[in-house]
Amino acid sequence: DHISVVVEDLAAAIAFFTALGMTVEGEARVEGDWVDRVNGIAGVQVAIVMMHTPDGHGKLELTKFRNPPLVASEPASPPPNTLGLRSIMFAVESVDDAVARLLAHGGELIGEVVQYEELYRLCYMRGPGGIIVALAEELF
């Protein structure tokens, strides 16, 4: 249905993913017994923003915990070979344009923009919450 990313700065995360062409679908503050029970944490208070991709098929939930405080992962910016969720990939019209837009919103290029055969230009960027965002530009 969607991917969820926990972020520290909700406004910055919205700006970052808006720069990729996503739009805000809705916003809500969520708390209560059911949220505590589903998370296995007492006193949960979160603000969530649902965003959708330009084609309307993909969804991303940005979650900002107001309570309890965020827990940092170690290392804070895990390398691409860390176990677990690796990245979220987005198809873009131009990798160069997308990289420039994301750099302006706090993104960080992890390696280099590379070309895979005559098929794609690809790169990985670190975005909000340390998540890795992959960008792919079709060349065919």
Side-chain angles (χ1 to χ4, degrees):
D1 183 70
H2 69 275
I3 295 170
S4 180
V5 178
V6 175
V7 298
E8 187 170 5
D9 185 336
L10 196 53
I14 292 168
F16 181 89
F17 287 105
T18 297
L20 266 177
M22 298 186 82
T23 55
V24 173
E25 183 176 282
E27 302 180 37
R29 293 198 178 259
V30 182
E31 59 185 87
D33 181 60
W34 73 271
V35 179
D36 293 355
R37 291 184 6 245
V38 76
N39 281 283
I41 303 172
V44 172
Q45 297 175 338
V46 295
I48 62 169
V49 173
M50 290 299 292
M51 300 189 77
H52 61 85
T53 55
D55 65 5
H57 298 295
K59 291 185 181 183
L60 177 67
E61 175 186 312
L62 301 173
T63 303
K64 163 67 176 156
F65 275 79
R66 296 182 340 224
N67 192 62
L70 292 173
V71 175
S73 62
E74 291 296 328
S77 294
N81 63 335
T82 302
L83 288 172
L85 178 65
R86 176 169 164 77
S87 64
I88 302 173
M89 179 162 287
F90 292 90
V92 296
E93 296 277 329
S94 165
V95 165
D96 295 329
D97 291 346
V99 166
R101 289 193 313 271
L102 296 179
L103 288 172
H105 290 282
E108 176 187 334
L109 192 61
I110 292 176
E112 301 174 34
V113 176
V114 298
Q115 185 165 323
Y116 172 69
E117 298 182 354
E118 300 298 318
L119 301 174
Y120 296 98
R121 293 189 71 234
L122 305 162
C123 72
Y124 291 116
M125 296 194 72
R126 192 163 310 278
I131 192 161
I132 296 174
V133 175
L135 304 176
E137 173 186 343
E138 289 183 346
L139 299 176
F140 50 94

